[in-house]
């Protein structure tokens, strides 16, 4: 049996080739790709990695907390791993981003890719359907070369962002995009209202009426879904919006737990859940019985961003009103499935020698870190082993 023997934490800080202006934080140019890297090592020398998004070095003190909760754990015992991560989160940080590193270890122990562990099937998945996404706000004219580019590359869907204080400007972009790509191309739109951030610049604040007007335009243009048109917890308003419009509603990307998802589904708030396993309780959050409303599709939705082109998977695909939302990778009731992997690929791919495959077949998560890149862009700020933990504990009890 393997035991966790070593925990390392790194601040990763990689300059971007050009500033990235995320639509979800208006006015805030990202000039660096920053995240926390965790590397776990077992007593038999296996390593597992994961990554958590970071503004800066805010997890500086996290290592002192983790050792006592995680050292000595058996990576095969994911239930206990999950319990310990939960316990370590009671007083502060959500630490679910750490959980996939244990899946990485477990996959290596079992000699299987993580997607097979999560699906419980040996079926080999070679390809996953993708849509192209966007992260910044653009006028239609600025966006057009990108639309040309992705169609040339064979994408059959795109997700755009709109964010104007003048809703007519938003409608205009929607209409021109539909006109440009034609009726058969899948178009989604993200309103970024779920977890609005106004730290730097103000951002429009939608209410149910604005979302309804927007939804009617999306209906007319046959959009595949509208993403987060309201604050993520306004479940009753989401349900009312669903009654008013035809276009499927997606959301929940920053939900913190299975319970939030369940409540949202019980209230009829969403057609499509988009949980991020690194926030919402880890890779196994969706396991087990959930209400019938779980027939809502669950979409994994990383962006095609500054580091890699990544993919979007549909877990359960039984969209309402007979509409085909997206594709058909059927993974049953496992929310968060592969979301974590895609997020890691996006974050960790900057530290690998070559871009990982969208469906890595190697044991674990299939991420092989490039030591040269790690030493150049990652700064280790914490190392914990059982002996270090013992010394630390004795000192603290003095
Ligand atoms: Mg989104």
């Amino acid at each position: 049996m393997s035991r966790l023997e070593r925990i390392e934490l790194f601040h990763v800080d990689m300059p971007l080739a050009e500033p990235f202006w995320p639509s979800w934080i208006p006015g805030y140019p990202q000039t660096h790709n920053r995240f926390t890297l965790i590397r776990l090592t077992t007593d038999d020398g296996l390593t597992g990695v994961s990554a958590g998004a970071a503004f800066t070095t805010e997890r500086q003190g996290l290592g002192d907390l983790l050792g006592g909760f995680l050292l000595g754990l058996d990576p095969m015992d994911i239930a206990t791993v999950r319990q310990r991560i939960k316990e370590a989160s009671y007083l502060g940080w959500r630490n679910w981003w750490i959980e996939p590193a244990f899946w990485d270890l477990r996959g290596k122990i079992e000699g299987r890719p993580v997607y097979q562990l999560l699906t419980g099937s040996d079926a080999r998945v070679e390809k996953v359907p993708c849509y192209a996404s966007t992260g910044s706000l653009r006028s239609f004219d600025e966006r057009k070369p990108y639309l040309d580019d992705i169609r040339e590359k064979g994408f059959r869907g795109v997700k755009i962002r709109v964010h104007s204080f003048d809703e007519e400007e938003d409608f205009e972009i929607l209409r021109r995009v539909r006109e440009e790509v034609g009726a058969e191309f899948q178009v989604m739109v993200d309103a970024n209202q779920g977890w609005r951030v106004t730290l730097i610049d103000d951002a429009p604040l939608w209410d149910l009426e604005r979302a309804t007007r927007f939804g009617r335009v999306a209906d007319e243009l046959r959009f595949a879904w509208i993403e987060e048109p309201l604050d993520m917890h306004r479940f009753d308003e989401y349900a009312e919006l669903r009654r008013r419009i035809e276009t499927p509603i997606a959301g929940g990307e920053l939900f913190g737990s299975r319970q939030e998802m369940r409540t949202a589904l019980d209230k009829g708030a969403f057609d499509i859940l988009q949980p991020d396993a690194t926030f919402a309780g880890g890779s196994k959050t969706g396991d087990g019985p959930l209400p019938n409303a779980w027939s809502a599709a669950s979409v994994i939705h990383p962006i095609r961003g500054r580091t890699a082109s990544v993919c979007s998977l549909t877990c359960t695909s039984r969209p309402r009103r007979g509409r085909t939302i997206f594709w058909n990778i059927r993974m049953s009731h496992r929310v968060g499935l592969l979301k974590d992997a895609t997020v890691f690929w996006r974050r960790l791919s900057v530290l690998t020698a070559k871009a990982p495959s969208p469906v890595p077949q190697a044991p674990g998560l299939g991420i092989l870190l490039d030591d040269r890149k790690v030493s150049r862009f990652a700064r280790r700020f914490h190392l914990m082993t059982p002996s270090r933990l013992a010394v630390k504990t004795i000192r603290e009890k003095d």
Side-chain angles (χ1 to χ4, degrees):
M1 183 171 69
S2 296
R3 293 280 181 197
L4 183 62
E5 190 175 71
R6 184 181 173 95
I7 301 170
E8 294 168 280
L9 293 168
F10 302 79
H11 297 308
V12 179
D13 189 334
M14 179 175 283
L16 299 176
E18 57 187 54
F20 169 64
W21 296 78
S23 64
W24 47 93
I25 312 180
Y28 176 73
Q30 289 187 6
T31 55
H32 290 72
N33 184 2
R34 294 193 178 101
F35 57 89
T36 313
L37 167 70
I38 189 166
R39 181 163 62 194
L40 304 178
T41 307
T42 61
D43 54 3
D44 45 4
L46 294 173
T47 58
V49 294
S50 184
F55 271 100
T56 173
T57 57
E58 63 265 35
R59 294 196 181 91
Q60 184 69 30
L62 181 62
D64 282 342
L65 174 74
L66 290 180
F69 285 97
L70 303 182
L71 284 173
L73 289 181
D74 172 9
M76 295 297 291
D77 182 5
I78 294 287
T80 303
V81 167
R82 291 173 52 76
Q83 176 61 27
R84 292 290 172 78
I85 290 174
K86 186 176 172 182
E87 292 168 5
S89 301
Y90 286 151
L91 298 183
W93 287 100
R94 285 194 262 181
N95 292 318
W96 291 114
W97 62 277
I98 293 170
E99 186 234 34
F102 284 91
W103 283 101
D104 195 17
L105 284 170
R106 182 170 164 177
K108 288 171 181 170
I109 292 168
E110 293 195 44
R112 299 170 73 195
V114 168
Y115 79 83
Q116 289 185 345
L117 299 181
L118 291 172
T119 57
S121 163
D122 289 332
R124 189 177 168 94
V125 178
E126 298 281 354
K127 291 182 178 178
V128 289
C130 303
Y131 67 80
S133 193
T134 58
S136 299
L137 301 171
R138 295 276 187 272
S139 68
F140 174 78
D141 290 336
E142 291 167 328
R143 181 66 69 205
K144 186 174 178 315
Y146 178 77
L147 296 175
D148 294 340
D149 182 48
I150 60 171
R151 283 178 293 170
E152 209 167 277
K153 287 177 175 159
F155 284 98
R156 290 182 296 149
V158 66
K159 187 166 83 182
I160 58 171
R161 318 260 170 180
V162 293
H163 225 37
S164 177
F165 284 94
D166 177 357
E167 64 184 355
E168 290 298 333
E169 287 182 12
D170 289 348
F171 300 162
E172 176 70 10
I173 289 176
L174 303 193
R175 290 195 175 102
R176 293 191 70 185
V177 167
R178 173 53 83 205
E179 191 178 273
E180 171 67 26
V181 299
E184 299 305 311
F185 204 79
Q186 299 267 18
V187 185
M188 296 72 81
V189 60
D190 192 340
N192 288 126
Q193 294 291 311
W195 43 281
R196 182 170 161 265
V197 178
T198 58
L199 177 69
I200 311 292
D201 275 355
D202 198 7
L205 174 60
W206 290 20
D207 59 13
L208 177 60
E209 298 311 316
R210 176 160 176 176
T212 303
R213 291 192 295 275
F214 187 90
R216 290 191 172 130
V217 175
D219 283 353
E220 170 200 318
L221 298 170
R222 303 290 293 171
F223 271 35
W225 74 69
I226 302 171
E227 186 167 321
E228 301 209 307
L230 295 165
D231 180 278
M232 63 178 166
H233 288 128
R234 292 183 174 263
F235 298 152
D236 292 332
E237 291 187 12
Y238 270 105
E240 175 59 22
L241 182 63
R242 283 185 71 221
R243 285 189 283 274
R244 293 181 181 185
I245 68 172
E246 292 289 319
T247 306
I249 308 292
E253 65 186 26
L254 284 195
F255 278 174
S257 69
R258 169 195 176 90
Q259 287 70 31
E260 270 177 281
M261 292 180 230
R262 178 169 183 140
T263 304
L265 292 174
D266 282 344
K267 293 232 175 199
F270 297 106
D271 297 285
I272 302 164
L273 274 179
Q274 299 171 301
D276 181 327
T278 64
F279 292 111
S283 307
K284 296 290 277 184
T285 299
D287 255 5
L290 278 161
N292 289 335
W294 204 247
S295 59
S298 179
V299 170
I300 320 302
H301 81 302
I303 65 168
R304 179 179 183 273
R306 54 204 180 275
T307 55
S309 176
V310 289
C311 294
S312 177
L313 310 180
T314 301
C315 291
T316 52
S317 188
R318 269 199 285 156
R320 67 180 172 147
R321 296 164 189 164
R323 200 184 268 197
T324 300
I325 292 184
F326 245 63
W327 309 282
N328 56 2
I329 297 226
R330 190 175 178 79
M331 301 289 194
S332 80
H333 303 118
R334 288 177 168 80
V335 173
L337 177 68
L338 294 183
K339 166 68 173 183
D340 47 341
T342 53
V343 169
F344 306 139
W345 296 330
R346 178 158 61 86
R347 289 197 190 110
L348 290 176
S349 64
V350 300
L351 294 178
T352 58
K354 61 175 188 174
S357 155
V359 191
Q361 305 299 329
L365 291 170
I367 292 166
L368 187 61
L369 298 182
D370 180 336
D371 287 341
R372 285 173 308 171
K373 288 187 176 177
V374 171
S375 62
R376 183 169 174 202
F377 298 112
R379 178 171 59 82
R380 192 172 76 181
F381 65 92
H382 185 80
L383 165 65
M384 188 57 79
T385 62
S387 55
R388 281 172 174 253
L389 181 61
V391 170
K392 174 178 173 295
T393 304
I394 291 166
R395 282 196 179 139
E396 284 176 353
K397 298 299 175 194
D398 266 353

